[in-house]
């Protein structure tokens, strides 16, 4: 029975850790721009094209 209490305490600490990390990420602005990353793959990277031309 004591094992269950230990596992519950560990799971609560892990959940609190993830909650703190999520709140830190929201406050630091990582979720401010949700549009640009979704369209970034549609544009070619200029640096990548230069390195491809040197190889060919």
């Amino acid at each position: 029975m004591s094992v269950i209490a230990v596992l519950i305490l560990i799971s609560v600490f892990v959940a609190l850790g993830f909650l703190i990390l999520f709140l830190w990420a929201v406050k630091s602005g990582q979720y401010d721009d949700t549009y640009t990353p979704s369209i970034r793959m549609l544009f070619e990277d200029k640096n990548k094209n230069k390195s491809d031309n040197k190889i060919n």
Side-chain angles (χ1 to χ4, degrees):
M1 191 68 174
S2 64
V3 173
I4 293 174
V6 170
L7 289 175
I8 289 173
L9 286 175
I10 290 171
S11 65
V12 167
F13 283 124
V14 169
L16 286 174
F18 280 112
L19 178 65
I20 290 169
L21 288 175
F22 175 73
L23 292 174
W24 171 76
V26 169
K27 286 187 177 183
S28 67
Q30 293 188 14
Y31 293 107
D32 286 347
D33 186 16
T34 58
Y35 180 69
T36 302
S38 65
I39 63 167
R40 187 177 302 152
M41 66 180 170
L42 299 176
F43 299 107
E44 294 182 15
D45 190 17
K46 292 181 181 179
N47 293 334
K48 186 177 180 182
N49 288 337
K50 289 180 183 177
S51 64
D52 288 342
N53 290 337
K54 290 180 182 177
I55 294 172
N56 294 330

